[in-house]
């Protein structure tokens, strides 16, 4: 269906970059139109009425007009600015990480409502969540599922047999688990403890409300993070940039998460 | 791209150089080049020298990291100014904006950027280390965080605040509120919330 000349949509602002003297290019994620790159004119002037309504990580209702190249944001009314998030450096960075993942994994103009919902719910949850790491793992594994990269966690990807309750292996290149007998079938496999496997299955299958009942100790949390990071880096074929800053914040001399 | 085959080499070279500048496409580059061609030689020479002088004589002030022709810069060198207050800004242009107010008599520190995790710009890419050594050595009583009031600016401000907090120096942030001449109706909720929080006795 052709887009009308002016259209209205909800959107989450993933990213902004400067354009010309006072404009910005926004990357926004919408429920029915997927990812859109659009221009917000004059927003860097302090008197711009658009200004704070097109800030990064804002949930807002926007009016856009089709432009020759990029669409132009003509109005924006904030629905939720996630204000408590903005006064916490660690949580802001985590939310930026989720936004970067969505930006990297999606193409423009491809609708994916579950991804939109997941992103919105996750950002809302980050504000109050005790264990943000667990929330991020849930976000990652669900996002991958919605985008067609759902990791196989039930059977061995090589021999197709159901996994035994022992230490198994995870292969980023194969996109799933390997049983101990087949662990040489793929290059660069990582050991996957039974507990980690169980948590991954739980995160993959359930809503965050259900998944948040499981408590992760530090070791398990680190193991899951390392596995998901290797898988994500493998699919994207590049590092996720905001991860560096998350690591930086976690260094003890700076700030305890 | 333009076809340069019929243009003499020095001309096409200058066109290409202009083309690298922001906001200048191949057409404008060609127009500028042909304008320069008709310019008196003195003017053209002055332009060329000005371009070179910018690169040769301008450096970063070793104290505040502002761009300057003399090190330390005129602001850091000025004994009339209050060296116990340091205002942290993102870009050299921000200093000009604050200087225009004529209300600030302290010194500055330029970060030359802002923490932006999504672009891979971290604290190490900014002049934060220089800031820390500076405030540890000098007698600084107050740090004013004057980064832009957007997500990246706030993140940078919070990050620096966290680094400085243990040193026992007073850290302040520029007030965030309504712009003069603006309209309340168009103010976004972040700005209005901050304006309400930061309201003052009238």
């Amino acid at each position: 269906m052709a887009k009308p000349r002016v259209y209205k949509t909800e959107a989450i602002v993933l990213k902004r970059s400067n354009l010309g003297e006072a404009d910005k290019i926004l990357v926004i994620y919408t429920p029915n139109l997927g990812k859109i790159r659009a221009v917000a004119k004059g927003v860097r002037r302090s008197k711009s009425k658009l200004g704070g309504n097109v800030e990064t990580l804002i949930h807002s209702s926007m009016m856009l007009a089709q432009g020759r190249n990029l669409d132009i944001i003509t109005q924006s009314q904030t629905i939720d600015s996630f204000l408590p998030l903005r006064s916490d450096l660690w949580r802001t960075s985590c939310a930026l990480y989720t936004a970067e993942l969505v930006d990297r994994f999606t193409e423009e103009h491809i609708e994916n409502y579950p991804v939109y919902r997941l992103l919105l719910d996750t950002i809302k949850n980050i504000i109050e969540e005790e264990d943000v790491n667990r929330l991020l793992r849930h976000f990652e594994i669900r996002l991958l599922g919605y985008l067609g990269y759902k990791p196989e966690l039930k059977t061995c990807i090589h021999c197709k047999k159901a996994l035994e309750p022992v230490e198994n292996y995870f292969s980023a290149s194969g996109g799933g688990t390997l049983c101990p007998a087949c662990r040489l079938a793929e290059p660069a496999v990582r050991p996957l403890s039974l507990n980690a496997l169980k948590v991954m299955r739980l995160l993959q299958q359930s809503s965050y409300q259900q998944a948040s009942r499981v408590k992760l100790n530090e070791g398990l949390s680190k193991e899951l993070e390392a596995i998901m990071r290797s898988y994500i880096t493998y699919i994207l074929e590049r590092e996720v940039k905001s991860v560096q800053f998350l690591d930086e914040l976690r260094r003890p001399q700076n700030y305890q998460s | 791209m333009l076809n340069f085959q019929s243009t003499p080499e020095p001309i096409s070279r200058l066109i290409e150089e202009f083309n690298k500048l922001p906001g200048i496409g191949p057409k404008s580059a060609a127009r500028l080049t042909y304008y320069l061609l008709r310019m008196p030689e003195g003017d053209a020479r002055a332009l060329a020298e000005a371009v070179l002088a910018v690169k040769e004589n301008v450096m970063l002030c070793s104290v505040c990291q502002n761009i300057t022709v003399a090190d330390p810069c005129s602001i850091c060198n000025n004994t009339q100014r209050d060296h116990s207050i340091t205002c942290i800004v993102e870009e050299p242009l921000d200093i000009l904006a604050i200087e225009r107010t004529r209300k600030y008599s302290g010194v500055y520190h330029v970060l030359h950027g802002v923490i932006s995790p999504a672009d891979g710009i971290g604290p190490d890419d900014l002049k934060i280390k220089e800031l820390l050594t500076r405030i540890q050595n000098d007698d600084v009583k107050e740090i004013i965080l004057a980064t832009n009031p957007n997500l990246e600016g706030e993140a940078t401000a919070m990050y620096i605040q966290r680094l400085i907090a243990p040193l026992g120096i007073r850290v302040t942030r520029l007030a965030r509120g309504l712009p003069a001449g603006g309209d309340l109706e168009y103010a976004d909720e972040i700005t209005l919330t901050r304006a309400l929080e930061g309201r003052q006795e009238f």
Side-chain angles (χ1 to χ4, degrees), chain A residues 42-68:
Chain A
V43 284
R44 279 147 69 200
R45 294 195 185 95
S46 63
K47 276 176 204 164
S48 160
K49 64 174 176 178
L50 226 45
N53 290 310
V54 291
E55 175 63 287
T56 316
L57 293 179
I58 217 169
H59 179 209
S60 115
S61 166
M62 292 183 181
M63 181 94 93
L64 288 96
Q66 269 198 44
R68 239 179 308 171

Side-chain angles (χ1 to χ4, degrees), chain A:
Chain A
M1 192 187 80
K3 271 190 295 182
R5 235 178 64 74
V6 178
Y7 58 99
K8 219 181 137 179
T9 177
E10 274 185 32
I12 301 170
V13 180
L14 301 180
K15 203 169 118 177
R16 321 199 300 171
S17 48
N18 287 349
L19 173 74
E21 190 176 329
D23 308 343
K24 270 183 189 287
I25 294 184
L26 267 61
V27 180
I28 59 179
Y29 203 80
T30 64
N32 305 115
L33 300 160
K35 184 168 86 173
I36 300 175
R37 271 156 50 85
V39 179
K41 294 228 177 238
V43 284
R44 279 147 69 200
R45 294 195 185 95
S46 63
K47 276 176 204 164
S48 160
K49 64 174 176 178
L50 226 45
N53 290 310
V54 291
E55 175 63 287
T56 316
L57 293 179
I58 217 169
H59 179 209
S60 115
S61 166
M62 292 183 181
M63 181 94 93
L64 288 96
Q66 269 198 44
R68 239 179 308 171
N69 182 12
L70 295 172
D71 292 356
I72 292 163
I73 298 171
T74 55
Q75 289 174 36
S76 178
Q77 175 87 53
T78 305
I79 299 171
D80 192 348
S81 57
F82 312 113
L83 210 55
L85 190 77
R86 288 167 204 278
S87 45
D88 185 321
L89 185 54
W90 166 251
R91 288 173 202 266
T92 302
S93 313
C94 289
L96 275 175
Y97 169 72
T98 61
E100 190 189 348
L101 277 192
V102 170
D103 183 25
R104 293 242 182 268
F105 269 111
T106 53
E107 295 296 326
E108 278 176 61
H109 305 298
I110 295 176
E111 176 188 350
N112 197 334
Y113 184 73
V115 169
Y116 174 78
R117 216 39 260 184
L118 177 71
L119 178 66
L120 187 58
D121 290 343
T122 305
I123 296 178
K124 277 184 185 156
N125 282 334
I126 286 177
I127 296 174
E128 299 211 312
E129 176 59 40
E130 274 171 57
D131 186 351
V132 183
N133 286 313
R134 180 181 57 196
L135 178 62
L136 291 182
R137 299 297 87 75
H138 178 258
F139 174 80
E140 290 164 349
I141 208 162
R142 298 286 283 208
L143 179 71
L144 291 172
Y146 293 141
L147 294 166
Y149 295 109
K150 184 176 174 183
E152 172 59 57
L153 299 171
K154 291 248 155 56
T155 57
C156 167
I157 52 170
H158 191 245
C159 67
K160 312 289 180 208
K161 281 186 208 135
L163 292 178
E164 299 292 327
V166 289
E167 183 179 82
N168 288 286
Y169 293 83
F170 186 84
S171 157
S173 50
T177 40
L178 285 166
C179 67
C182 303
R183 72 190 159 96
L184 296 175
E186 292 278 345
V189 297
R190 282 167 175 271
L192 177 68
S193 72
L194 188 59
N195 277 339
L197 178 63
K198 281 181 179 162
V199 174
M200 282 174 81
R201 283 178 183 164
L202 178 74
L203 293 176
Q204 191 178 59
Q205 285 160 3
S206 37
S207 71
Y208 188 66
Q209 226 184 346
Q210 291 166 299
S212 62
R213 282 195 218 120
V214 61
K215 294 268 176 281
L216 303 186
N217 64 35
E218 211 188 320
L220 193 54
S221 190
K222 285 228 165 75
E223 181 184 356
L224 289 169
E225 182 173 358
I227 285 181
M228 290 311 293
R229 193 182 287 186
S230 72
Y231 188 37
I232 287 170
T233 316
Y234 179 82
I235 297 170
L236 289 176
E237 297 181 1
R238 64 203 292 178
E239 294 282 331
V240 183
K241 285 178 180 164
S242 41
V243 161
Q244 284 169 17
F245 189 60
L246 288 181
D247 287 346
E248 165 93 33
L249 285 181
R250 260 187 292 209
R251 276 192 290 163
Q253 70 266 35
N254 278 325
Y255 178 52
Q256 291 292 322
S257 59

